[in-house]
Amino acid sequence: MTVLVGYQWAASPKEATVLDDGTVTWAGANRVVSAADRVAIELACRTAEATGARTVGVCVAGPQAGADPRARSSALACGPDEVVVVAAGREPDTYEVAAALAAVIGQLGDVDLVVLGDCAADAGTRMVAPVLGGLLGWPTLTEVGEVAPDPAGGFEVVDDSRGARRRTRVTGPAVLGVAVDACVPRQLGLRQILAADSKPSRVVPAAELGLTAPALEVLDRAPVELGRRRGHVIDEADPARTAALLVDELIQAGVL
Amino acid sequence: MTTAWLVAGEGPGVGALVDLARSLAEEVAAVVVGDDADARAVARVVDRVDWVPCAAGVPAECFAGAVAEHLAGAELVLAGTGPASRVLAGAVAARTGAPVLTAVREVVRTEGAWQITRLVVGGIATERNRVPGPVVLVTEGGRRVGGEEADSTAAEPAVQRLDLVRLPMSCPQAPVVDGEPHDLASAARVVGVGRGVRDPGELEVVAELARALGAEVACSRPVAEDLGWFPKDRYLGVSGRRISPRLYLALGISGQLQHMIGVRDAAMIVAVNTDRRAPVMSEADVAVVADVHTLLPALLDELGRVRGVPLAEVAR
Ligand SMILES: Cc1cc2nc3c(=O)[nH]c(=O)nc-3n(C[C@H](O)[C@H](O)[C@H](O)COP(=O)(O)OP(=O)(O)OC[C@H]3O[C@@H](n4cnc5c(N)ncnc54)[C@H](O)[C@@H]3O)c2cc1C
């Protein structure tokens, strides 16, 4: 059995700059396996260890990840037994990431569980796990905090469904989107980093997977403009006076 | 005739989706996975409902494959951001081969295609897309429908029951509700808690202030995800909930773009922050330079004073 974990090799959007014409630039940005993806990798590895399975990390990304060996070694150091990077000609969108993962799962053949960082397996749409579950026809849950093998077969999963903690029994293979607070990733030491060198990894050009992408044309991009606000400042030393001025503002605005 | 399909997996909180669907299609239909009351509530504001009954112990997600099959020919599918709605919508996208777009800000139909403007790259930019074929949009569901806005004189709307096959999942125990139920989507006033509040002991005072204002309490992402002070369905922003209250009061929130995206539709934004240069201060209608710990008790006193009633009464 194989537990497959998806991850990204990406910089935080906080490191990007949007120019006036909408171009997004990443000059000097530091690509990493994000904290959310490290949580997903940890949960995948723990589940695999509990069931005697192996863990395969899969990163579906643009050309940079294919060319940069750190996209593989950084993930391998976090625990997986093997890593596959699917390198597309450009940054893939949600559907393309899901379709590529489905293709790799088809090739591996023995995947029983897919674990994805809930917010981070693509540009933050949180839709990769749902689309992948749909492509595979497998039960899918998101916001997952715990997963344990069920002695009767399948898995027992605890997730957060709009503020309610649910315990769900899933039979057969499943796709899980993992909450960022599901577990604490293991500390990375020299031992893990050195061990990564001896683990297998490969780069697969996305073109080899024979994927079809949905019809979607990018017309243009623009920086986000937040609305202009009045910006009235209250800066008084005395809290009672500050409170009085603020309540007065609220009354004037008719929002109380 | 174009039909817009809503997919509702978390009850009737689909007001914003109905508004969007009405602006785009001649007919608005819905697949509601839930109980009978959910189906009837949604049916009061759309043209027809296909209801997938979902008994206790059955997660709505287990109908994903069957709902996708049911909507295989749909051109426009709209779903909310709740976990079940997302799973159902993802399956529909997979079945129809449609792109699935989130954080949608505008949709128009032009020259035989959908033109969609959405937030990308973690909310720092917008992108305009042209989609000539089917499309699945996942965006904040909005207010609960089927209540007072429904026409009570109208005939009881038609609800067609579907009995669909399930994926192999079950919940042997009832879910444990974490925190109090809330309705952020329709709240007139919302108090946002940021990391600047620092001490979880202070949340009691924040709750008291919220009661005094008649407000719901929400938070920034790190307050829910890193500090765990609130359930995750309470954080606002590009990856959380988006709200449009009359008043948003941000307490100790720095106002990064990813957070402000979630509150930009508030009629009035008030920010309380010790740092005059925090980004939230330039995005606010009223920027209060103050420490939340000293301001909150004073604010409660002042609210009690202006209403001419003892604080305890205001806060009830
Ligand atoms: C891809 C991506 C998506 C994201 N999505 C979201 C999202 O959906 N929602 C979201 O909220 N964030 C999101 N974030 C995170 C976001 O960028 C910010 O990090 C986050 O909003 C900051 O939370 P905060 O304002 O509570 O904390 P901080 O940024 O730490 O700000 C705390 C503020 O409190 C002030 N303060 C400190 N002490 C006091 C005091 N005693 N009284 C008054 N003020 C005080 C400080 O001056 C500071 O301004 C996202 C980030 C990324 C990269």
Side-chain angles (χ1 to χ4, degrees):
Chain A
M1 172 185 144
T2 295
V3 176
L4 183 140
V5 57
Y7 70 94
Q8 262 204 316
W9 175 248
S12 161
K14 285 186 178 165
E15 296 193 50
T17 310
V18 190
L19 307 181
D20 282 348
D21 68 357
T23 313
V24 179
T25 64
W26 295 91
N30 186 24
R31 287 175 181 265
V32 292
V33 177
S34 75
D37 283 351
R38 286 192 55 197
V39 171
I41 292 174
E42 182 67 31
L43 199 76
C45 291
R46 286 187 197 177
T47 312
E49 280 156 19
T51 53
R54 66 174 183 148
T55 313
V56 176
V58 181
C59 171
V60 184
Q64 295 90 340
D68 188 344
R70 288 174 305 165
R72 283 165 279 145
S73 59
S74 303
L76 283 168
C78 299
D81 301 303
E82 185 184 336
V83 152
V84 179
V85 170
V86 178
R90 57 174 172 79
E91 291 301 325
D93 67 19
T94 307
Y95 194 102
E96 290 164 337
V97 174
L101 290 172
V104 173
I105 290 164
Q107 287 184 345
L108 291 172
D110 66 344
V111 175
D112 262 351
L113 184 68
V114 180
V115 177
L116 298 172
D118 202 33
C119 300
D122 69 346
T125 66
R126 309 164 86 203
M127 285 303 294
V128 173
V131 177
L132 178 59
L135 290 169
L136 297 169
W138 292 1
T140 304
L141 294 168
T142 61
E143 320 273 356
V144 169
E146 293 170 34
V147 51
D150 186 339
F155 302 93
E156 201 172 83
V157 178
V158 178
D159 69 354
D160 180 321
S161 176
R162 280 264 146 114
R165 248 171 75 89
R166 256 188 337 187
R167 190 173 288 276
T168 306
R169 207 168 274 155
V170 184
T171 321
V175 177
L176 305 178
V178 174
V180 290
D181 55 358
C183 62
V184 180
R186 60 195 73 178
Q187 289 284 335
L188 292 190
L190 194 58
R191 194 167 61 84
Q192 284 82 0
I193 292 164
L194 291 175
D197 282 345
S198 58
K199 294 183 190 175
S201 71
R202 61 198 159 101
V203 178
V204 178
E208 279 181 16
L209 298 175
L211 307 172
T212 51
L216 173 86
E217 192 186 329
V218 177
L219 298 176
D220 52 34
R221 280 187 169 180
V224 167
E225 302 242 345
L226 291 168
R228 296 209 183 286
R229 300 272 175 177
R230 199 154 54 91
H232 174 68
V233 178
I234 300 175
D235 188 359
E236 299 278 335
D238 174 21
R241 166 110 181 111
T242 307
L245 290 171
L246 174 55
V247 169
D248 191 45
E249 288 275 353
L250 299 179
I251 293 169
Q252 298 300 326
V255 295
L256 271 193
Chain B
M1 182 170 81
T2 311
T3 300
W5 280 94
L6 310 186
V7 174
E10 273 96 13
V14 292
L17 301 179
V18 174
D19 296 345
L20 181 58
R22 288 262 175 241
S23 71
L24 296 169
E26 289 89 40
E27 185 191 41
V28 178
V31 173
V32 178
V33 182
D35 63 22
D36 170 50
D38 294 339
R40 278 186 288 117
V42 176
R44 286 186 201 116
V45 294
V46 302
D47 303 317
R48 63 190 161 102
V49 162
D50 290 342
W51 169 43
V52 183
C54 191
V58 179
E61 287 90 337
C62 70
F63 293 103
V67 167
E69 213 46 56
H70 187 65
L71 295 182
E75 278 294 303
L76 173 63
V77 177
L78 307 169
T81 54
S85 297
R86 278 191 282 129
V87 168
L88 297 168
V92 176
R95 176 65 182 80
T96 52
V100 52
L101 305 181
T102 61
V104 174
R105 290 180 67 179
E106 193 186 37
V107 189
V108 288
R109 181 87 184 158
T110 170
E111 292 165 13
W114 304 110
Q115 190 173 298
I116 295 132
T117 308
R118 62 185 173 124
L119 296 167
V120 292
V121 202
I124 60 171
T126 57
E127 183 173 285
R128 267 189 333 136
N129 299 121
R130 186 175 174 277
V131 182
V135 67
V136 176
L137 305 177
V138 176
T139 194
E140 185 62 45
R143 66 190 184 277
R144 294 180 149 264
V145 297
E148 68 273 20
E149 70 182 295
D151 178 1
S152 59
T153 60
E156 191 67 0
V159 172
Q160 190 198 337
R161 180 187 166 121
L162 302 178
D163 287 298
L164 302 180
V165 290
R166 293 192 222 152
L167 292 164
M169 284 193 272
S170 62
C171 301
Q173 297 147 16
V176 181
V177 178
D178 179 11
E180 308 204 339
H182 60 84
D183 188 6
L184 280 181
S186 14
R189 287 166 286 270
V190 174
V191 177
V193 174
R195 252 195 316 219
V197 170
R198 279 206 209 117
D199 174 9
E202 196 79 4
L203 296 181
E204 206 31 63
V205 189
V206 173
E208 210 176 310
L209 175 70
R211 282 193 293 274
L213 289 169
E216 295 279 0
V217 182
C219 62
S220 67
R221 185 164 111 174
V223 166
E225 290 196 333
D226 303 343
L227 302 174
W229 291 355
F230 292 99
K232 278 180 272 238
D233 65 337
R234 292 255 193 156
Y235 79 77
L236 308 173
V238 65
S239 36
R241 309 293 303 269
R242 283 199 265 163
I243 55 169
S244 48
R246 284 163 58 205
L247 169 67
Y248 178 58
L249 174 57
L251 303 175
I253 287 181
S254 57
Q256 299 300 326
L257 187 62
Q258 290 92 3
H259 181 82
M260 297 312 285
I261 297 284
V263 302
R264 65 194 300 273
D265 294 330
M268 181 183 198
I269 297 179
V270 175
V272 178
N273 202 301
T274 42
D275 179 3
R276 191 187 239 278
R277 287 160 310 161
V280 71
M281 301 303 244
S282 49
E283 301 291 346
D285 296 281
V286 181
V288 183
V289 185
D291 184 324
V292 283
H293 304 284
T294 49
L295 181 67
L296 291 195
L299 198 50
L300 277 166
D301 283 348
E302 184 63 19
L303 284 168
R305 198 186 64 74
V306 295
R307 292 188 176 169
V309 282
L311 181 60
E313 298 239 330
V314 178
R316 190 176 310 141

